[in-house]
Amino acid sequence: MNKICLSLAAAALTAGSLLAAPVKAQQTEEHYAMVVFLKGSEFFNWAYAGFQDAAATVGATTELQGPADWDASAEARAVDQLVAKGVKGIAVTAGDADTLVGSINAAMEAGVPTLTFDSDSPKSNRLLFVGTNNYNAGFAAGKAVGEQIGGDARVGVSLIPGLDSINHRLQGFKEGLASVAPGAEVVAQVNDEGDLQKAETVNTAMLQANPQINVIFCAHGNPATGALAATRNVGRFDGPNKVHVLAWSIDVPILQGIEDDEYGSTVAQNPYMMGVQSFLQLWSAAHPTQFDSLTNPGMGQVPTADLDTGVKILKKGDPAIKALMTPPRI
Amino acid sequence: MSINFAKIKVSGSWLQYIGLIVVTVLIVAFTHSVFGNVVTLANLRVLAMNMIFEAIMALGMTFVIILGGIDLSVASVFAFGEILVAKLMVEVGLSVPLAAAITVAVCALIGALNGAMIVSFRVHPMVVTLGTLLTLRGVNLAITDGRSISGFSDSFLWLGQGRILGVDFPIVFFAVAAVVLGMLLGHHRFFRQIYFIGGSERAAKYSGVDVARVKIAIYALSGFLAGCAGIMAAAKYGAAHWGHGNMAELKAIGSVAIGGADMMGGSGTIFGTVLGAIFLAVVHNAFVTSAVNPFWYDVVNGVMLLIAVLVSRVIAKQNERKMKSVRQQKIDRSLQPQSP
């Protein structure tokens, strides 16, 4: 039994030593938090790096919370815990818009400035939303394809149906394409269910059924690798009939693929700027000036309109690719 | 009258409980003294609510693990319960009690089906319940198109957000369920049988225990509790979503294992599971309070789970050795020549 007690004591010491690391630093400085629904994702690592760097400019400290699996209820609980802990502000990306409403509203009622970034919870009382305007991003992507391929562009779209964000991207894409290449058109859409293997299967079928397709627009982050594999499957990975795959990701393999001429281009959101702007807005809200915010009395001045952090369509040779290929360490 | 404390023997299980309580208290004391804001009403409430749905599922999991089984499907039954009750109210227009009653009945039925498949096909519970987990996860996605369902009535929201004497309803539910199930497990003949089955299924069968019936009932209980947790979670978050409760099965199993149950079956208590759930909630809270990189959270949970499983196995082995020793002594005595 002594061994059992020793094991438990060792466990206590382990837990204690882990907890002792950032001792007291946060008690003397202002402390802000970011909550994500996919802890460890490269995208959110970029966002958190921006959040941290912006905090460092004013001597504030930060922490990252959230589940490693897509569970919005775990995010809601993280927000509740951070409010109980007494952080100065919270930036949360909503894994599900409705699930976060209660926790965001409770945080705002408790006087903790809370905003959403990347994925919004529009029914909540959040300060504002910081992230990509999906319509504008889709428009930029459509315009880039229209300018590069012209009126001959015949586009197949790989998407997950039913999501508002993707619907807005597709609408923007179609209008952006039409604005510079009126003869171009979207000829087919497939449901990749957000799964790589499924994306390969359905995009292969789409290319076989619609041989006129010369562009695949991946309307979200997951299907690009599957879509590229599909072009290989139908023998249109290179050569004169090469299919231009437009990805929606800044993951390193995709960026490397652009440099290697595998992908045509990618829609690069700016998660780092989302983090920077999220922190700056929270800081502003946490520091009231002579006059309170009209919309959130007791808090500082923060705009209520969504803050569009924009996108860039990256092609081979773009210097931004090199910078993005060195993801931040947390 | 004097008490000789040296002669008081504390069982291995109780030593494990005491150790767990000591470690939990140490973590709370340490984080509170260093970071503050831990032993406050607001934080303790958040701490309790943070694990409450997994803890409710862990109560059912305790019975399943004592039985020598495992139920990996609880997380998807939980999310299915959320979605079903939401659809019945929002889309079908049923009243809260009726929708809740149908939901828990369907979730219990799913659990019973798990049990029936395990008994009928003689397949390992891990395989059957993993199949149910994946199937139901797909169903949850398909019937919601990946969207959440919201717009519940205030009377329904009370089930997740209401309070009784200042205590959140899900916590009250958990406490009552833990007491009732703990008493049943400790004293009711039907539930005592599961220790027998978990210890040796063959011996239980030859002794006249209806193993199939008990197994189906216990898996139904696990599904029922996951359904109850799902209903309260939908009310707590004001939304039902297929992604809620992802990996909750591991936290439920972790609570039971850390609480001292033998993963091979035959031992475990509701009290231990409650301690295990509190421990996991405290560790998670400590991570938030201390702002340690949350990437380490799963590492600590995993290590604690391994330690708990090892300790349980050591205790089980010791008990086995004691049993063998007692048996051998009896055999030796019976073989000794009788004096005239």
Side-chain angles (χ1 to χ4, degrees), chain A residues 207-223:
Chain A
L207 288 173
Q208 284 169 338
N210 304 278
Q212 75 275 32
I213 288 177
N214 52 10
V215 177
I216 294 179
F217 168 45
C218 303
H220 62 104
N222 297 342

PDB file of all heavy atoms in Angstrom, chain A residues 207-223:
ATOM      1  N   LEU A 207     -15.158  15.115 -62.102  1.00  0.00           N
ATOM      2  CA  LEU A 207     -14.322  15.362 -63.280  1.00  0.00           C
ATOM      3  C   LEU A 207     -14.648  14.374 -64.406  1.00  0.00           C
ATOM      4  O   LEU A 207     -14.602  14.723 -65.592  1.00  0.00           O
ATOM      5  CB  LEU A 207     -12.835  15.260 -62.901  1.00  0.00           C
ATOM      6  CG  LEU A 207     -12.289  16.406 -62.045  1.00  0.00           C
ATOM      7  CD1 LEU A 207     -10.859  16.117 -61.588  1.00  0.00           C
ATOM      8  CD2 LEU A 207     -12.324  17.732 -62.808  1.00  0.00           C
ATOM      9  N   GLN A 208     -14.993  13.149 -64.019  1.00  0.00           N
ATOM     10  CA  GLN A 208     -15.351  12.167 -65.048  1.00  0.00           C
ATOM     11  C   GLN A 208     -16.674  12.527 -65.711  1.00  0.00           C
ATOM     12  O   GLN A 208     -16.831  12.382 -66.929  1.00  0.00           O
ATOM     13  CB  GLN A 208     -15.436  10.764 -64.426  1.00  0.00           C
ATOM     14  CG  GLN A 208     -14.051  10.173 -64.160  1.00  0.00           C
ATOM     15  CD  GLN A 208     -14.089   8.915 -63.321  1.00  0.00           C
ATOM     16  OE1 GLN A 208     -15.054   8.675 -62.586  1.00  0.00           O
ATOM     17  NE2 GLN A 208     -13.036   8.123 -63.401  1.00  0.00           N
ATOM     18  N   ALA A 209     -17.612  13.018 -64.908  1.00  0.00           N
ATOM     19  CA  ALA A 209     -18.930  13.352 -65.466  1.00  0.00           C
ATOM     20  C   ALA A 209     -18.918  14.689 -66.212  1.00  0.00           C
ATOM     21  O   ALA A 209     -19.766  14.936 -67.072  1.00  0.00           O
ATOM     22  CB  ALA A 209     -19.956  13.403 -64.336  1.00  0.00           C
ATOM     23  N   ASN A 210     -17.970  15.554 -65.863  1.00  0.00           N
ATOM     24  CA  ASN A 210     -17.919  16.893 -66.482  1.00  0.00           C
ATOM     25  C   ASN A 210     -16.500  17.174 -66.978  1.00  0.00           C
ATOM     26  O   ASN A 210     -15.754  17.944 -66.367  1.00  0.00           O
ATOM     27  CB  ASN A 210     -18.318  17.970 -65.464  1.00  0.00           C
ATOM     28  CG  ASN A 210     -19.678  17.734 -64.853  1.00  0.00           C
ATOM     29  OD1 ASN A 210     -20.689  18.075 -65.432  1.00  0.00           O
ATOM     30  ND2 ASN A 210     -19.686  17.113 -63.687  1.00  0.00           N
ATOM     31  N   PRO A 211     -16.120  16.546 -68.105  1.00  0.00           N
ATOM     32  CA  PRO A 211     -14.732  16.712 -68.556  1.00  0.00           C
ATOM     33  C   PRO A 211     -14.373  18.144 -68.936  1.00  0.00           C
ATOM     34  O   PRO A 211     -13.197  18.477 -69.077  1.00  0.00           O
ATOM     35  CB  PRO A 211     -14.657  15.783 -69.773  1.00  0.00           C
ATOM     36  CG  PRO A 211     -16.063  15.455 -70.142  1.00  0.00           C
ATOM     37  CD  PRO A 211     -16.906  15.637 -68.939  1.00  0.00           C
ATOM     38  N   GLN A 212     -15.384  19.003 -69.102  1.00  0.00           N
ATOM     39  CA  GLN A 212     -15.078  20.398 -69.449  1.00  0.00           C
ATOM     40  C   GLN A 212     -14.546  21.196 -68.263  1.00  0.00           C
ATOM     41  O   GLN A 212     -14.046  22.317 -68.424  1.00  0.00           O
ATOM     42  CB  GLN A 212     -16.331  21.095 -70.033  1.00  0.00           C
ATOM     43  CG  GLN A 212     -17.424  21.474 -69.050  1.00  0.00           C
ATOM     44  CD  GLN A 212     -18.413  20.351 -68.740  1.00  0.00           C
ATOM     45  OE1 GLN A 212     -18.043  19.179 -68.741  1.00  0.00           O
ATOM     46  NE2 GLN A 212     -19.653  20.704 -68.453  1.00  0.00           N
ATOM     47  N   ILE A 213     -14.670  20.637 -67.038  1.00  0.00           N
ATOM     48  CA  ILE A 213     -14.196  21.372 -65.850  1.00  0.00           C
ATOM     49  C   ILE A 213     -12.676  21.571 -65.928  1.00  0.00           C
ATOM     50  O   ILE A 213     -11.929  20.623 -66.129  1.00  0.00           O
ATOM     51  CB  ILE A 213     -14.564  20.614 -64.553  1.00  0.00           C
ATOM     52  CG1 ILE A 213     -16.071  20.719 -64.305  1.00  0.00           C
ATOM     53  CG2 ILE A 213     -13.799  21.164 -63.343  1.00  0.00           C
ATOM     54  CD1 ILE A 213     -16.560  19.948 -63.098  1.00  0.00           C
ATOM     55  N   ASN A 214     -12.230  22.818 -65.798  1.00  0.00           N
ATOM     56  CA  ASN A 214     -10.781  23.082 -65.777  1.00  0.00           C
ATOM     57  C   ASN A 214     -10.343  23.800 -64.498  1.00  0.00           C
ATOM     58  O   ASN A 214      -9.174  24.150 -64.350  1.00  0.00           O
ATOM     59  CB  ASN A 214     -10.340  23.869 -67.022  1.00  0.00           C
ATOM     60  CG  ASN A 214     -11.187  25.120 -67.240  1.00  0.00           C
ATOM     61  OD1 ASN A 214     -11.973  25.488 -66.363  1.00  0.00           O
ATOM     62  ND2 ASN A 214     -11.044  25.765 -68.390  1.00  0.00           N
ATOM     63  N   VAL A 215     -11.293  24.011 -63.579  1.00  0.00           N
ATOM     64  CA  VAL A 215     -10.964  24.606 -62.276  1.00  0.00           C
ATOM     65  C   VAL A 215     -11.771  23.888 -61.191  1.00  0.00           C
ATOM     66  O   VAL A 215     -12.973  23.659 -61.374  1.00  0.00           O
ATOM     67  CB  VAL A 215     -11.334  26.117 -62.225  1.00  0.00           C
ATOM     68  CG1 VAL A 215     -11.051  26.687 -60.832  1.00  0.00           C
ATOM     69  CG2 VAL A 215     -10.598  26.906 -63.279  1.00  0.00           C
ATOM     70  N   ILE A 216     -11.110  23.498 -60.104  1.00  0.00           N
ATOM     71  CA  ILE A 216     -11.861  23.033 -58.922  1.00  0.00           C
ATOM     72  C   ILE A 216     -11.670  24.076 -57.835  1.00  0.00           C
ATOM     73  O   ILE A 216     -10.538  24.387 -57.445  1.00  0.00           O
ATOM     74  CB  ILE A 216     -11.372  21.661 -58.416  1.00  0.00           C
ATOM     75  CG1 ILE A 216     -11.663  20.581 -59.457  1.00  0.00           C
ATOM     76  CG2 ILE A 216     -12.069  21.302 -57.101  1.00  0.00           C
ATOM     77  CD1 ILE A 216     -11.173  19.181 -59.045  1.00  0.00           C
ATOM     78  N   PHE A 217     -12.802  24.619 -57.385  1.00  0.00           N
ATOM     79  CA  PHE A 217     -12.765  25.600 -56.298  1.00  0.00           C
ATOM     80  C   PHE A 217     -13.106  24.875 -54.996  1.00  0.00           C
ATOM     81  O   PHE A 217     -14.221  24.382 -54.835  1.00  0.00           O
ATOM     82  CB  PHE A 217     -13.772  26.726 -56.598  1.00  0.00           C
ATOM     83  CG  PHE A 217     -14.029  27.645 -55.429  1.00  0.00           C
ATOM     84  CD1 PHE A 217     -12.986  28.136 -54.640  1.00  0.00           C
ATOM     85  CD2 PHE A 217     -15.334  28.056 -55.121  1.00  0.00           C
ATOM     86  CE1 PHE A 217     -13.230  28.983 -53.569  1.00  0.00           C
ATOM     87  CE2 PHE A 217     -15.585  28.913 -54.053  1.00  0.00           C
ATOM     88  CZ  PHE A 217     -14.529  29.373 -53.283  1.00  0.00           C
ATOM     89  N   CYS A 218     -12.148  24.802 -54.096  1.00  0.00           N
ATOM     90  CA  CYS A 218     -12.380  24.182 -52.790  1.00  0.00           C
ATOM     91  C   CYS A 218     -12.902  25.282 -51.859  1.00  0.00           C
ATOM     92  O   CYS A 218     -12.144  26.180 -51.494  1.00  0.00           O
ATOM     93  CB  CYS A 218     -11.095  23.580 -52.235  1.00  0.00           C
ATOM     94  SG  CYS A 218     -10.370  22.366 -53.341  1.00  0.00           S
ATOM     95  N   ALA A 219     -14.168  25.178 -51.491  1.00  0.00           N
ATOM     96  CA  ALA A 219     -14.800  26.278 -50.768  1.00  0.00           C
ATOM     97  C   ALA A 219     -14.535  26.270 -49.269  1.00  0.00           C
ATOM     98  O   ALA A 219     -15.058  27.095 -48.536  1.00  0.00           O
ATOM     99  CB  ALA A 219     -16.306  26.269 -51.034  1.00  0.00           C
ATOM    100  N   HIS A 220     -13.730  25.314 -48.821  1.00  0.00           N
ATOM    101  CA  HIS A 220     -13.314  25.325 -47.409  1.00  0.00           C
ATOM    102  C   HIS A 220     -11.965  24.638 -47.291  1.00  0.00           C
ATOM    103  O   HIS A 220     -11.395  24.195 -48.306  1.00  0.00           O
ATOM    104  CB  HIS A 220     -14.377  24.670 -46.509  1.00  0.00           C
ATOM    105  CG  HIS A 220     -14.625  23.236 -46.808  1.00  0.00           C
ATOM    106  ND1 HIS A 220     -14.139  22.228 -46.027  1.00  0.00           N
ATOM    107  CD2 HIS A 220     -15.298  22.633 -47.818  1.00  0.00           C
ATOM    108  CE1 HIS A 220     -14.515  21.075 -46.530  1.00  0.00           C
ATOM    109  NE2 HIS A 220     -15.225  21.285 -47.626  1.00  0.00           N
ATOM    110  N   GLY A 221     -11.448  24.518 -46.068  1.00  0.00           N
ATOM    111  CA  GLY A 221     -10.059  24.125 -45.882  1.00  0.00           C
ATOM    112  C   GLY A 221      -9.719  22.671 -46.142  1.00  0.00           C
ATOM    113  O   GLY A 221      -8.579  22.341 -46.468  1.00  0.00           O
ATOM    114  N   ASN A 222     -10.709  21.777 -46.028  1.00  0.00           N
ATOM    115  CA  ASN A 222     -10.357  20.357 -46.005  1.00  0.00           C
ATOM    116  C   ASN A 222     -10.125  19.663 -47.348  1.00  0.00           C
ATOM    117  O   ASN A 222      -9.279  18.781 -47.442  1.00  0.00           O
ATOM    118  CB  ASN A 222     -11.429  19.570 -45.242  1.00  0.00           C
ATOM    119  CG  ASN A 222     -11.501  20.007 -43.799  1.00  0.00           C
ATOM    120  OD1 ASN A 222     -10.580  20.624 -43.304  1.00  0.00           O
ATOM    121  ND2 ASN A 222     -12.590  19.710 -43.139  1.00  0.00           N
ATOM    122  N   PRO A 223     -10.889  19.965 -48.417  1.00  0.00           N
ATOM    123  CA  PRO A 223     -10.884  19.038 -49.557  1.00  0.00           C
ATOM    124  C   PRO A 223      -9.728  19.174 -50.538  1.00  0.00           C
ATOM    125  O   PRO A 223      -9.631  18.362 -51.462  1.00  0.00           O
ATOM    126  CB  PRO A 223     -12.204  19.383 -50.268  1.00  0.00           C
ATOM    127  CG  PRO A 223     -12.406  20.817 -49.996  1.00  0.00           C
ATOM    128  CD  PRO A 223     -11.839  21.066 -48.637  1.00  0.00           C
TER     129      PRO A 223
END
